[in-house]
Amino acid sequence: MKHIFINGEAKQITCLNISQLIEELNMEGKRFAIELNQIIIPKSNFKQTLIADQDRIEIIHAVGGG
């Protein structure tokens, strides 16, 4: 079990990588960006980007408008 922060909120997860976290949060197919410890992670790197204890993750949701 890892203790991380998502958008400033403490969470406990068992996910190994960003891809698994996205699945656990039911965010597949949605428009968003991920920042891990102040570094933006491209979607193509989600599976390779491991999550460690105490990581800080920010999820930025895209909002359409006009």
Side-chain angles (χ1 to χ4, degrees), residues 2-46:
K2 296 178 186 97
H3 301 277
I4 66 167
F5 297 89
I6 299 177
N7 294 347
E9 186 177 331
K11 300 269 188 191
Q12 292 185 8
I13 63 163
T14 57
C15 304
L16 300 176
N17 60 38
I18 297 293
S19 185
Q20 290 178 357
L21 178 64
I22 296 308
E23 288 178 28
E24 186 172 298
L25 296 173
N26 296 316
M27 294 183 60
E28 298 109 325
K30 296 183 181 175
R31 296 180 59 164
F32 59 88
I34 297 284
E35 184 182 275
L36 174 63
N37 300 323
Q38 300 183 334
I39 298 170
I40 297 208
I41 308 298
K43 287 188 180 187
S44 59
N45 292 348
F46 282 1

mmCIF file of all heavy atoms in Angstrom, residues 2-46:
data_model
loop_
_atom_site.group_PDB
_atom_site.id
_atom_site.type_symbol
_atom_site.label_atom_id
_atom_site.label_comp_id
_atom_site.label_asym_id
_atom_site.label_seq_id
_atom_site.Cartn_x
_atom_site.Cartn_y
_atom_site.Cartn_z
ATOM 1 N N LYS A 2 0.580 2.173 -0.871
ATOM 2 C CA LYS A 2 1.337 3.421 -0.961
ATOM 3 C C LYS A 2 0.470 4.572 -0.471
ATOM 4 O O LYS A 2 -0.721 4.606 -0.710
ATOM 5 C CB LYS A 2 1.753 3.689 -2.412
ATOM 6 C CG LYS A 2 2.695 2.666 -2.963
ATOM 7 C CD LYS A 2 3.010 2.987 -4.419
ATOM 8 C CE LYS A 2 3.826 1.878 -5.001
ATOM 9 N NZ LYS A 2 3.052 0.917 -5.737
ATOM 10 N N HIS A 3 1.099 5.515 0.206
ATOM 11 C CA HIS A 3 0.425 6.732 0.652
ATOM 12 C C HIS A 3 0.863 7.836 -0.294
ATOM 13 O O HIS A 3 2.039 8.172 -0.362
ATOM 14 C CB HIS A 3 0.819 7.067 2.091
ATOM 15 C CG HIS A 3 0.482 5.980 3.057
ATOM 16 N ND1 HIS A 3 -0.775 5.842 3.611
ATOM 17 C CD2 HIS A 3 1.216 4.962 3.537
ATOM 18 C CE1 HIS A 3 -0.783 4.786 4.409
ATOM 19 N NE2 HIS A 3 0.413 4.230 4.386
ATOM 20 N N ILE A 4 -0.104 8.397 -1.040
ATOM 21 C CA ILE A 4 0.196 9.458 -2.001
ATOM 22 C C ILE A 4 -0.773 10.612 -1.792
ATOM 23 O O ILE A 4 -1.687 10.524 -0.965
ATOM 24 C CB ILE A 4 0.111 8.946 -3.466
ATOM 25 C CG1 ILE A 4 -1.326 8.550 -3.819
ATOM 26 C CG2 ILE A 4 1.090 7.806 -3.711
ATOM 27 C CD1 ILE A 4 -1.571 8.328 -5.301
ATOM 28 N N PHE A 5 -0.574 11.673 -2.548
ATOM 29 C CA PHE A 5 -1.477 12.821 -2.516
ATOM 30 C C PHE A 5 -1.989 13.047 -3.926
ATOM 31 O O PHE A 5 -1.200 13.145 -4.866
ATOM 32 C CB PHE A 5 -0.736 14.061 -2.021
ATOM 33 C CG PHE A 5 -0.247 13.918 -0.613
ATOM 34 C CD1 PHE A 5 0.998 13.371 -0.356
ATOM 35 C CD2 PHE A 5 -1.031 14.307 0.456
ATOM 36 C CE1 PHE A 5 1.460 13.208 0.935
ATOM 37 C CE2 PHE A 5 -0.581 14.152 1.756
ATOM 38 C CZ PHE A 5 0.664 13.602 2.005
ATOM 39 N N ILE A 6 -3.307 13.096 -4.089
ATOM 40 C CA ILE A 6 -3.931 13.395 -5.375
ATOM 41 C C ILE A 6 -4.669 14.714 -5.217
ATOM 42 O O ILE A 6 -5.582 14.820 -4.393
ATOM 43 C CB ILE A 6 -4.889 12.279 -5.827
ATOM 44 C CG1 ILE A 6 -4.137 10.962 -5.995
ATOM 45 C CG2 ILE A 6 -5.593 12.677 -7.126
ATOM 46 C CD1 ILE A 6 -5.009 9.791 -6.372
ATOM 47 N N ASN A 7 -4.228 15.710 -5.982
ATOM 48 C CA ASN A 7 -4.793 17.067 -5.886
ATOM 49 C C ASN A 7 -4.829 17.538 -4.436
ATOM 50 O O ASN A 7 -5.800 18.119 -3.976
ATOM 51 C CB ASN A 7 -6.171 17.135 -6.529
ATOM 52 C CG ASN A 7 -6.120 16.906 -8.019
ATOM 53 O OD1 ASN A 7 -5.066 16.926 -8.635
ATOM 54 N ND2 ASN A 7 -7.271 16.682 -8.610
ATOM 55 N N GLY A 8 -3.751 17.250 -3.702
ATOM 56 C CA GLY A 8 -3.604 17.709 -2.326
ATOM 57 C C GLY A 8 -4.262 16.850 -1.276
ATOM 58 O O GLY A 8 -4.100 17.082 -0.080
ATOM 59 N N GLU A 9 -5.008 15.832 -1.689
ATOM 60 C CA GLU A 9 -5.734 14.980 -0.749
ATOM 61 C C GLU A 9 -4.982 13.658 -0.552
ATOM 62 O O GLU A 9 -4.627 12.984 -1.512
ATOM 63 C CB GLU A 9 -7.134 14.695 -1.289
ATOM 64 C CG GLU A 9 -8.017 13.938 -0.331
ATOM 65 C CD GLU A 9 -9.427 13.747 -0.876
ATOM 66 O OE1 GLU A 9 -9.892 14.595 -1.654
ATOM 67 O OE2 GLU A 9 -10.043 12.732 -0.514
ATOM 68 N N ALA A 10 -4.744 13.280 0.698
ATOM 69 C CA ALA A 10 -4.047 12.037 1.005
ATOM 70 C C ALA A 10 -4.893 10.835 0.593
ATOM 71 O O ALA A 10 -6.104 10.803 0.846
ATOM 72 C CB ALA A 10 -3.716 11.967 2.488
ATOM 73 N N LYS A 11 -4.261 9.871 -0.067
ATOM 74 C CA LYS A 11 -4.939 8.645 -0.511
ATOM 75 C C LYS A 11 -4.015 7.462 -0.257
ATOM 76 O O LYS A 11 -2.802 7.602 -0.246
ATOM 77 C CB LYS A 11 -5.228 8.693 -2.013
ATOM 78 C CG LYS A 11 -6.111 9.818 -2.461
ATOM 79 C CD LYS A 11 -7.545 9.399 -2.443
ATOM 80 C CE LYS A 11 -8.387 10.494 -3.078
ATOM 81 N NZ LYS A 11 -9.781 10.301 -2.874
ATOM 82 N N GLN A 12 -4.625 6.296 -0.117
ATOM 83 C CA GLN A 12 -3.876 5.047 -0.057
ATOM 84 C C GLN A 12 -4.230 4.250 -1.294
ATOM 85 O O GLN A 12 -5.409 4.067 -1.595
ATOM 86 C CB GLN A 12 -4.226 4.259 1.195
ATOM 87 C CG GLN A 12 -3.760 4.916 2.461
ATOM 88 C CD GLN A 12 -4.020 4.042 3.676
ATOM 89 O OE1 GLN A 12 -4.408 2.887 3.555
ATOM 90 N NE2 GLN A 12 -3.819 4.591 4.849
ATOM 91 N N ILE A 13 -3.206 3.802 -2.026
ATOM 92 C CA ILE A 13 -3.445 3.066 -3.267
ATOM 93 C C ILE A 13 -2.549 1.834 -3.323
ATOM 94 O O ILE A 13 -1.557 1.736 -2.599
ATOM 95 C CB ILE A 13 -3.180 3.946 -4.510
ATOM 96 C CG1 ILE A 13 -1.709 4.367 -4.563
ATOM 97 C CG2 ILE A 13 -4.093 5.149 -4.543
ATOM 98 C CD1 ILE A 13 -1.265 4.874 -5.909
ATOM 99 N N THR A 14 -2.904 0.929 -4.228
ATOM 100 C CA THR A 14 -2.065 -0.235 -4.498
ATOM 101 C C THR A 14 -1.541 -0.205 -5.928
ATOM 102 O O THR A 14 -0.839 -1.117 -6.340
ATOM 103 C CB THR A 14 -2.857 -1.538 -4.271
ATOM 104 O OG1 THR A 14 -4.007 -1.523 -5.106
ATOM 105 C CG2 THR A 14 -3.271 -1.691 -2.819
ATOM 106 N N CYS A 15 -1.871 0.842 -6.682
ATOM 107 C CA CYS A 15 -1.464 0.954 -8.087
ATOM 108 C C CYS A 15 0.054 1.014 -8.197
ATOM 109 O O CYS A 15 0.725 1.640 -7.381
ATOM 110 C CB CYS A 15 -2.045 2.220 -8.713
ATOM 111 S SG CYS A 15 -3.820 2.337 -8.599
ATOM 112 N N LEU A 16 0.568 0.383 -9.254
ATOM 113 C CA LEU A 16 2.004 0.417 -9.508
ATOM 114 C C LEU A 16 2.404 1.586 -10.394
ATOM 115 O O LEU A 16 3.505 2.111 -10.276
ATOM 116 C CB LEU A 16 2.458 -0.893 -10.163
ATOM 117 C CG LEU A 16 2.228 -2.165 -9.362
ATOM 118 C CD1 LEU A 16 2.641 -3.382 -10.167
ATOM 119 C CD2 LEU A 16 2.979 -2.095 -8.047
ATOM 120 N N ASN A 17 1.503 1.978 -11.321
ATOM 121 C CA ASN A 17 1.857 3.024 -12.283
ATOM 122 C C ASN A 17 0.665 3.953 -12.523
ATOM 123 O O ASN A 17 -0.434 3.714 -12.026
ATOM 124 C CB ASN A 17 2.367 2.399 -13.597
ATOM 125 C CG ASN A 17 1.344 1.502 -14.251
ATOM 126 O OD1 ASN A 17 0.156 1.778 -14.253
ATOM 127 N ND2 ASN A 17 1.803 0.397 -14.807
ATOM 128 N N ILE A 18 0.916 5.001 -13.294
ATOM 129 C CA ILE A 18 -0.126 5.993 -13.577
ATOM 130 C C ILE A 18 -1.292 5.364 -14.326
ATOM 131 O O ILE A 18 -2.453 5.678 -14.069
ATOM 132 C CB ILE A 18 0.463 7.176 -14.379
ATOM 133 C CG1 ILE A 18 1.535 7.912 -13.563
ATOM 134 C CG2 ILE A 18 -0.632 8.131 -14.833
ATOM 135 C CD1 ILE A 18 1.031 8.639 -12.356
ATOM 136 N N SER A 19 -1.012 4.466 -15.252
ATOM 137 C CA SER A 19 -2.070 3.815 -16.023
ATOM 138 C C SER A 19 -3.058 3.092 -15.101
ATOM 139 O O SER A 19 -4.273 3.203 -15.261
ATOM 140 C CB SER A 19 -1.453 2.843 -17.031
ATOM 141 O OG SER A 19 -2.439 2.296 -17.856
ATOM 142 N N GLN A 20 -2.549 2.357 -14.127
ATOM 143 C CA GLN A 20 -3.415 1.647 -13.185
ATOM 144 C C GLN A 20 -4.216 2.629 -12.325
ATOM 145 O O GLN A 20 -5.376 2.382 -12.008
ATOM 146 C CB GLN A 20 -2.591 0.726 -12.291
ATOM 147 C CG GLN A 20 -2.026 -0.462 -13.015
ATOM 148 C CD GLN A 20 -1.162 -1.336 -12.120
ATOM 149 O OE1 GLN A 20 -0.929 -1.030 -10.948
ATOM 150 N NE2 GLN A 20 -0.654 -2.417 -12.683
ATOM 151 N N LEU A 21 -3.600 3.749 -11.966
ATOM 152 C CA LEU A 21 -4.307 4.757 -11.183
ATOM 153 C C LEU A 21 -5.480 5.329 -11.964
ATOM 154 O O LEU A 21 -6.578 5.493 -11.424
ATOM 155 C CB LEU A 21 -3.345 5.881 -10.782
ATOM 156 C CG LEU A 21 -3.976 7.023 -9.987
ATOM 157 C CD1 LEU A 21 -4.487 6.546 -8.635
ATOM 158 C CD2 LEU A 21 -2.979 8.159 -9.810
ATOM 159 N N ILE A 22 -5.276 5.603 -13.248
ATOM 160 C CA ILE A 22 -6.338 6.131 -14.106
ATOM 161 C C ILE A 22 -7.506 5.143 -14.166
ATOM 162 O O ILE A 22 -8.666 5.527 -14.085
ATOM 163 C CB ILE A 22 -5.801 6.442 -15.519
ATOM 164 C CG1 ILE A 22 -4.748 7.549 -15.456
ATOM 165 C CG2 ILE A 22 -6.916 6.807 -16.476
ATOM 166 C CD1 ILE A 22 -5.168 8.791 -14.737
ATOM 167 N N GLU A 23 -7.191 3.854 -14.280
ATOM 168 C CA GLU A 23 -8.242 2.824 -14.281
ATOM 169 C C GLU A 23 -8.986 2.819 -12.950
ATOM 170 O O GLU A 23 -10.216 2.763 -12.925
ATOM 171 C CB GLU A 23 -7.634 1.451 -14.543
ATOM 172 C CG GLU A 23 -7.169 1.242 -15.966
ATOM 173 C CD GLU A 23 -6.530 -0.124 -16.158
ATOM 174 O OE1 GLU A 23 -6.882 -1.070 -15.428
ATOM 175 O OE2 GLU A 23 -5.671 -0.226 -17.051
ATOM 176 N N GLU A 24 -8.247 2.871 -11.855
ATOM 177 C CA GLU A 24 -8.869 2.827 -10.529
ATOM 178 C C GLU A 24 -9.778 4.035 -10.295
ATOM 179 O O GLU A 24 -10.811 3.931 -9.637
ATOM 180 C CB GLU A 24 -7.783 2.780 -9.443
ATOM 181 C CG GLU A 24 -8.349 2.593 -8.059
ATOM 182 C CD GLU A 24 -7.270 2.348 -7.020
ATOM 183 O OE1 GLU A 24 -6.550 1.342 -7.138
ATOM 184 O OE2 GLU A 24 -7.166 3.175 -6.096
ATOM 185 N N LEU A 25 -9.415 5.182 -10.868
ATOM 186 C CA LEU A 25 -10.224 6.393 -10.708
ATOM 187 C C LEU A 25 -11.326 6.508 -11.753
ATOM 188 O O LEU A 25 -12.040 7.512 -11.796
ATOM 189 C CB LEU A 25 -9.311 7.627 -10.784
ATOM 190 C CG LEU A 25 -8.267 7.761 -9.679
ATOM 191 C CD1 LEU A 25 -7.328 8.932 -9.962
ATOM 192 C CD2 LEU A 25 -8.919 7.895 -8.319
ATOM 193 N N ASN A 26 -11.472 5.484 -12.602
ATOM 194 C CA ASN A 26 -12.489 5.460 -13.663
ATOM 195 C C ASN A 26 -12.403 6.683 -14.576
ATOM 196 O O ASN A 26 -13.407 7.326 -14.872
ATOM 197 C CB ASN A 26 -13.901 5.344 -13.060
ATOM 198 C CG ASN A 26 -14.090 4.051 -12.322
ATOM 199 O OD1 ASN A 26 -13.696 2.997 -12.800
ATOM 200 N ND2 ASN A 26 -14.664 4.123 -11.145
ATOM 201 N N MET A 27 -11.195 6.987 -15.022
ATOM 202 C CA MET A 27 -10.983 8.170 -15.852
ATOM 203 C C MET A 27 -10.627 7.832 -17.296
ATOM 204 O O MET A 27 -10.301 8.734 -18.060
ATOM 205 C CB MET A 27 -9.873 9.034 -15.241
ATOM 206 C CG MET A 27 -10.267 9.630 -13.916
ATOM 207 S SD MET A 27 -9.008 10.701 -13.247
ATOM 208 C CE MET A 27 -8.889 11.913 -14.532
ATOM 209 N N GLU A 28 -10.692 6.550 -17.682
ATOM 210 C CA GLU A 28 -10.359 6.185 -19.050
ATOM 211 C C GLU A 28 -11.287 6.910 -20.014
ATOM 212 O O GLU A 28 -12.477 7.032 -19.773
ATOM 213 C CB GLU A 28 -10.488 4.667 -19.285
ATOM 214 C CG GLU A 28 -9.550 3.834 -18.440
ATOM 215 C CD GLU A 28 -10.295 3.074 -17.368
ATOM 216 O OE1 GLU A 28 -11.285 3.597 -16.823
ATOM 217 O OE2 GLU A 28 -9.875 1.956 -17.076
ATOM 218 N N GLY A 29 -10.714 7.406 -21.110
ATOM 219 C CA GLY A 29 -11.501 8.066 -22.133
ATOM 220 C C GLY A 29 -11.816 9.528 -21.851
ATOM 221 O O GLY A 29 -12.381 10.210 -22.693
ATOM 222 N N LYS A 30 -11.466 10.019 -20.676
ATOM 223 C CA LYS A 30 -11.715 11.424 -20.346
ATOM 224 C C LYS A 30 -10.491 12.257 -20.708
ATOM 225 O O LYS A 30 -9.392 11.743 -20.869
ATOM 226 C CB LYS A 30 -12.037 11.566 -18.857
ATOM 227 C CG LYS A 30 -13.327 10.859 -18.475
ATOM 228 C CD LYS A 30 -13.666 11.063 -17.031
ATOM 229 C CE LYS A 30 -14.949 10.311 -16.710
ATOM 230 N NZ LYS A 30 -15.287 10.355 -15.307
ATOM 231 N N ARG A 31 -10.705 13.560 -20.824
ATOM 232 C CA ARG A 31 -9.613 14.474 -21.170
ATOM 233 C C ARG A 31 -9.019 15.055 -19.891
ATOM 234 O O ARG A 31 -9.725 15.715 -19.119
ATOM 235 C CB ARG A 31 -10.134 15.575 -22.072
ATOM 236 C CG ARG A 31 -10.618 15.023 -23.403
ATOM 237 C CD ARG A 31 -11.118 16.105 -24.276
ATOM 238 N NE ARG A 31 -10.014 17.066 -24.486
ATOM 239 C CZ ARG A 31 -9.996 17.973 -25.422
ATOM 240 N NH1 ARG A 31 -11.005 18.095 -26.237
ATOM 241 N NH2 ARG A 31 -8.983 18.794 -25.543
ATOM 242 N N PHE A 32 -7.734 14.819 -19.689
ATOM 243 C CA PHE A 32 -7.056 15.288 -18.483
ATOM 244 C C PHE A 32 -5.547 15.268 -18.713
ATOM 245 O O PHE A 32 -5.058 14.690 -19.685
ATOM 246 C CB PHE A 32 -7.409 14.403 -17.284
ATOM 247 C CG PHE A 32 -7.044 12.962 -17.498
ATOM 248 C CD1 PHE A 32 -5.784 12.491 -17.167
ATOM 249 C CD2 PHE A 32 -7.947 12.078 -18.052
ATOM 250 C CE1 PHE A 32 -5.439 11.167 -17.387
ATOM 251 C CE2 PHE A 32 -7.618 10.752 -18.274
ATOM 252 C CZ PHE A 32 -6.361 10.292 -17.937
ATOM 253 N N ALA A 33 -4.843 15.901 -17.821
ATOM 254 C CA ALA A 33 -3.377 15.851 -17.807
ATOM 255 C C ALA A 33 -2.952 15.407 -16.409
ATOM 256 O O ALA A 33 -3.646 15.659 -15.421
ATOM 257 C CB ALA A 33 -2.789 17.211 -18.131
ATOM 258 N N ILE A 34 -1.817 14.739 -16.350
ATOM 259 C CA ILE A 34 -1.286 14.253 -15.078
ATOM 260 C C ILE A 34 0.055 14.927 -14.813
ATOM 261 O O ILE A 34 0.931 14.950 -15.675
ATOM 262 C CB ILE A 34 -1.072 12.723 -15.100
ATOM 263 C CG1 ILE A 34 -2.393 11.986 -15.287
ATOM 264 C CG2 ILE A 34 -0.339 12.242 -13.850
ATOM 265 C CD1 ILE A 34 -3.267 11.910 -14.073
ATOM 266 N N GLU A 35 0.197 15.418 -13.605
ATOM 267 C CA GLU A 35 1.471 15.968 -13.150
ATOM 268 C C GLU A 35 1.915 15.136 -11.959
ATOM 269 O O GLU A 35 1.165 14.952 -10.998
ATOM 270 C CB GLU A 35 1.267 17.427 -12.733
ATOM 271 C CG GLU A 35 2.522 18.131 -12.330
ATOM 272 C CD GLU A 35 2.236 19.547 -11.897
ATOM 273 O OE1 GLU A 35 2.170 20.423 -12.768
ATOM 274 O OE2 GLU A 35 2.064 19.776 -10.674
ATOM 275 N N LEU A 36 3.119 14.594 -12.033
ATOM 276 C CA LEU A 36 3.676 13.768 -10.961
ATOM 277 C C LEU A 36 4.876 14.503 -10.393
ATOM 278 O O LEU A 36 5.877 14.707 -11.095
ATOM 279 C CB LEU A 36 4.086 12.396 -11.504
ATOM 280 C CG LEU A 36 4.818 11.469 -10.546
ATOM 281 C CD1 LEU A 36 3.928 11.103 -9.370
ATOM 282 C CD2 LEU A 36 5.296 10.227 -11.265
ATOM 283 N N ASN A 37 4.775 14.913 -9.145
ATOM 284 C CA ASN A 37 5.858 15.654 -8.487
ATOM 285 C C ASN A 37 6.336 16.826 -9.338
ATOM 286 O O ASN A 37 7.520 17.017 -9.567
ATOM 287 C CB ASN A 37 7.015 14.712 -8.140
ATOM 288 C CG ASN A 37 6.574 13.604 -7.208
ATOM 289 O OD1 ASN A 37 5.757 13.811 -6.329
ATOM 290 N ND2 ASN A 37 7.085 12.410 -7.412
ATOM 291 N N GLN A 38 5.383 17.593 -9.840
ATOM 292 C CA GLN A 38 5.585 18.816 -10.609
ATOM 293 C C GLN A 38 6.152 18.582 -12.014
ATOM 294 O O GLN A 38 6.655 19.502 -12.640
ATOM 295 C CB GLN A 38 6.466 19.807 -9.840
ATOM 296 C CG GLN A 38 5.849 20.216 -8.516
ATOM 297 C CD GLN A 38 6.652 21.240 -7.773
ATOM 298 O OE1 GLN A 38 7.855 21.352 -7.934
ATOM 299 N NE2 GLN A 38 5.967 22.007 -6.941
ATOM 300 N N ILE A 39 6.050 17.362 -12.521
ATOM 301 C CA ILE A 39 6.481 17.047 -13.887
ATOM 302 C C ILE A 39 5.281 16.493 -14.642
ATOM 303 O O ILE A 39 4.654 15.524 -14.203
ATOM 304 C CB ILE A 39 7.624 16.019 -13.889
ATOM 305 C CG1 ILE A 39 8.838 16.595 -13.158
ATOM 306 C CG2 ILE A 39 7.986 15.610 -15.306
ATOM 307 C CD1 ILE A 39 9.934 15.586 -12.903
ATOM 308 N N ILE A 40 4.956 17.111 -15.785
ATOM 309 C CA ILE A 40 3.825 16.632 -16.593
ATOM 310 C C ILE A 40 4.224 15.313 -17.255
ATOM 311 O O ILE A 40 5.305 15.198 -17.839
ATOM 312 C CB ILE A 40 3.418 17.680 -17.631
ATOM 313 C CG1 ILE A 40 2.948 18.910 -16.875
ATOM 314 C CG2 ILE A 40 2.388 17.124 -18.593
ATOM 315 C CD1 ILE A 40 1.963 19.779 -17.524
ATOM 316 N N ILE A 41 3.355 14.326 -17.168
ATOM 317 C CA ILE A 41 3.610 12.995 -17.722
ATOM 318 C C ILE A 41 2.784 12.833 -18.998
ATOM 319 O O ILE A 41 1.556 12.889 -18.936
ATOM 320 C CB ILE A 41 3.226 11.889 -16.706
ATOM 321 C CG1 ILE A 41 3.886 12.135 -15.349
ATOM 322 C CG2 ILE A 41 3.553 10.512 -17.263
ATOM 323 C CD1 ILE A 41 5.386 12.132 -15.345
ATOM 324 N N PRO A 42 3.435 12.599 -20.140
ATOM 325 C CA PRO A 42 2.679 12.350 -21.372
ATOM 326 C C PRO A 42 1.879 11.050 -21.261
ATOM 327 O O PRO A 42 2.320 10.087 -20.623
ATOM 328 C CB PRO A 42 3.760 12.210 -22.446
ATOM 329 C CG PRO A 42 5.006 12.748 -21.838
ATOM 330 C CD PRO A 42 4.862 12.599 -20.353
ATOM 331 N N LYS A 43 0.709 11.017 -21.892
ATOM 332 C CA LYS A 43 -0.124 9.804 -21.844
ATOM 333 C C LYS A 43 0.627 8.579 -22.339
ATOM 334 O O LYS A 43 0.411 7.476 -21.856
ATOM 335 C CB LYS A 43 -1.411 10.003 -22.649
ATOM 336 C CG LYS A 43 -2.377 10.923 -21.954
ATOM 337 C CD LYS A 43 -3.718 10.973 -22.637
ATOM 338 C CE LYS A 43 -4.621 11.925 -21.865
ATOM 339 N NZ LYS A 43 -5.976 11.930 -22.318
ATOM 340 N N SER A 44 1.534 8.774 -23.286
ATOM 341 C CA SER A 44 2.295 7.639 -23.826
ATOM 342 C C SER A 44 3.231 7.027 -22.780
ATOM 343 O O SER A 44 3.713 5.906 -22.962
ATOM 344 C CB SER A 44 3.106 8.081 -25.042
ATOM 345 O OG SER A 44 3.995 9.128 -24.689
ATOM 346 N N ASN A 45 3.453 7.712 -21.662
ATOM 347 C CA ASN A 45 4.346 7.201 -20.612
ATOM 348 C C ASN A 45 3.610 6.714 -19.371
ATOM 349 O O ASN A 45 4.248 6.376 -18.375
ATOM 350 C CB ASN A 45 5.342 8.280 -20.197
ATOM 351 C CG ASN A 45 6.340 8.601 -21.279
ATOM 352 O OD1 ASN A 45 6.454 7.883 -22.271
ATOM 353 N ND2 ASN A 45 7.072 9.682 -21.106
ATOM 354 N N PHE A 46 2.276 6.699 -19.384
ATOM 355 C CA PHE A 46 1.526 6.320 -18.189
ATOM 356 C C PHE A 46 1.897 4.924 -17.674
ATOM 357 O O PHE A 46 2.042 4.738 -16.471
ATOM 358 C CB PHE A 46 0.018 6.387 -18.443
ATOM 359 C CG PHE A 46 -0.561 7.781 -18.417
ATOM 360 C CD1 PHE A 46 0.220 8.903 -18.207
ATOM 361 C CD2 PHE A 46 -1.910 7.971 -18.615
ATOM 362 C CE1 PHE A 46 -0.321 10.179 -18.193
ATOM 363 C CE2 PHE A 46 -2.478 9.237 -18.597
ATOM 364 C CZ PHE A 46 -1.679 10.349 -18.378
#
